[in-house]
Amino acid sequence: MRTTSRRIPSAALLALVLAAVPERGNAAEMSAGVSLGWIRAGTSPRLAVGPQAGISWSIERDLLFKVHDLCSFVPPIQAGGSGVYNHTSVAVGYAWKDVDVSAGPSVAVYLIPACGVRLCGRVAGIAVGGHAQVNVYVAGPLGVSVSANVDWISGSSLVLPSHVSATFVVGPVLRWSTQ
């Protein structure tokens, strides 16, 4: 059942991407980077590191459509052990020469340690939420990415019966364009 539940968001995201891809001839811009920041699910924040990748297409002049994936790993150096929190989002945004800003809905798949008011443990599931990102390119294709996600964790967990999770990461990003 877990495999099926993970395939449904991926299939829905692929359908959204294919439906929203602009007509041929428009340039696509891809970006990839590594981020460092914090995930907060429950009462304590946890260090998060991981890769990110995105692709964006111009809709009109400076408007863009973007698909972004951020996979945050919680290293085993903290109480509760390691974990993973993967966000995939679709967004619309605005781009200038050296800056792009985007926001939109996201889906997260997670398996992380978390603490509630009384209990600590590992929580796993799928959460929906929102994503916002700013990329500032300071040296040609090299830049800095700032990303924030807020998700609603729901379900029947004794650790986190229903809770908001927030992720904030910053890191270097590299972009390249296709014509």
Side-chain angles (χ1 to χ4, degrees):
M1 179 93 171
R2 286 183 188 217
T3 303
T4 304
S5 65
R6 288 183 184 165
R7 287 183 186 165
I8 292 171
S10 299
L13 179 64
L14 180 61
L16 279 172
V17 169
L18 293 176
V21 171
E23 57 191 63
R24 271 188 192 269
N26 286 353
E29 186 171 284
M30 294 171 271
S31 64
V34 178
S35 297
L36 174 67
W38 299 99
I39 293 176
R40 183 175 184 106
T43 58
S44 62
R46 301 192 179 271
L47 178 66
V49 296
Q52 61 171 307
I55 186 166
S56 59
W57 296 272
S58 294
I59 298 172
E60 272 187 39
R61 194 177 146 127
D62 296 327
L63 293 176
L64 58 94
F65 172 79
K66 189 174 200 175
V67 177
H68 186 258
D69 190 75
L70 170 63
C71 188
S72 298
F73 296 99
V74 174
I77 59 172
Q78 302 161 95
S82 63
V84 65
Y85 206 105
N86 192 81
H87 287 94
T88 302
S89 63
V90 293
V92 288
Y94 195 79
W96 296 272
K97 181 181 177 192
D98 295 326
V99 177
D100 69 68
V101 178
S102 60
S106 67
V107 175
V109 177
Y110 59 90
L111 172 61
I112 57 169
C115 290
V117 175
R118 295 194 176 115
L119 296 173
C120 289
R122 298 184 70 72
V123 294
I126 297 173
V128 295
H131 168 82
Q133 183 174 6
V134 176
N135 294 329
V136 179
Y137 297 95
V138 293
L142 183 62
V144 176
S145 179
V146 178
S147 178
N149 294 285
V150 176
D151 300 309
W152 181 254
I153 295 176
S154 62
S156 59
S157 169
L158 294 174
V159 176
L160 296 174
S162 285
H163 208 279
V164 172
S165 169
T167 306
F168 180 78
V169 293
V170 176
V173 65
L174 181 66
R175 72 174 171 183
W176 60 97
S177 296
T178 61
Q179 296 297 329

